[in-house]
Amino acid sequence: MYQYVLSIHIIFVVSWMAGLFYIVRLFIYHTEANEKPALERDILQKQFQIMESKLWNIITTPAMLLSVLAGLTMLHLNPGLLQTGWMQVKIAFVIGLLIYHFLCGRIIKQLRNGIFKMTSTQLRLWNELATIFLVAIVFTVVLKSAVDWLYGLIGLIIFSAVIMSAVKVYKYYRLKNKA
């Protein structure tokens, strides 16, 4: 039974992450639509609202719920996992990812109400936070007790710095090519 639930967990985690990655990309396009002429801006923003709503309500949030339910079911089937250090670390990262998920939900509501608190560059950086959570969770689960937590933390910090720098470099080239 455990292996079936694990398979379901993996499938819905992949779907959840795909939704999180794409929703923030839509936020970026939605925000950048502000730079368009009024008619084009209005059409684009209405379309992005529809896309964001459908992605969030039909794919991303249900996938999150099913991922969490499958994870809780696995812990119920094998409660000894809660005693392992790697599972406790994974749960901490998952809680961070859940917070990220709900903050994305708040951004959807803000954009729907015409509130643009983040620039497209800030949203690109925000998008990378989901990648950092994904990397941290996968390495924690795969390496389990073989992980030297100090090296893992240093590696995660370096990975985060590299990915954030890549966003800044992309912005530089994007702005350079616009000119």
Side-chain angles (χ1 to χ4, degrees), residues 81-152:
L81 288 172
L82 288 170
Q83 305 306 316
T84 62
W86 69 268
M87 181 56 75
Q88 294 168 7
V89 171
K90 177 193 175 186
I91 290 170
F93 284 130
V94 169
I95 289 169
L97 189 60
L98 286 166
I99 291 168
Y100 177 89
H101 176 96
F102 290 109
L103 289 173
C104 284
R106 190 168 79 184
I107 293 170
I108 290 170
K109 290 175 186 165
Q110 290 170 346
L111 294 176
R112 188 180 314 131
N113 293 321
I115 301 168
F116 297 86
K117 290 189 174 185
M118 298 173 84
T119 66
S120 63
T121 300
Q122 290 170 326
L123 287 166
R124 282 181 172 82
L125 291 169
W126 178 251
N127 198 31
E128 299 312 324
L129 188 56
T131 303
I132 293 165
F133 278 122
L134 177 63
V135 168
I137 291 167
V138 169
F139 271 94
T140 300
V141 171
V142 171
L143 298 177
K144 292 182 177 55
S145 62
V147 173
D148 180 4
W149 299 111
L150 180 60
Y151 290 128

Side-chain angles (χ1 to χ4, degrees), residues 12-27 52 55-56 59-61 63 100-101 104 127:
F12 286 106
V13 166
V14 169
S15 300
W16 181 23
M17 293 307 302
L20 287 175
F21 290 143
Y22 191 50
I23 196 72
V24 181
R25 178 56 48 190
L26 290 175
F27 296 164
E52 290 160 359
L55 174 63
W56 195 251
I59 297 171
T60 310
T61 297
Y100 177 89
H101 176 96
C104 284
N127 198 31

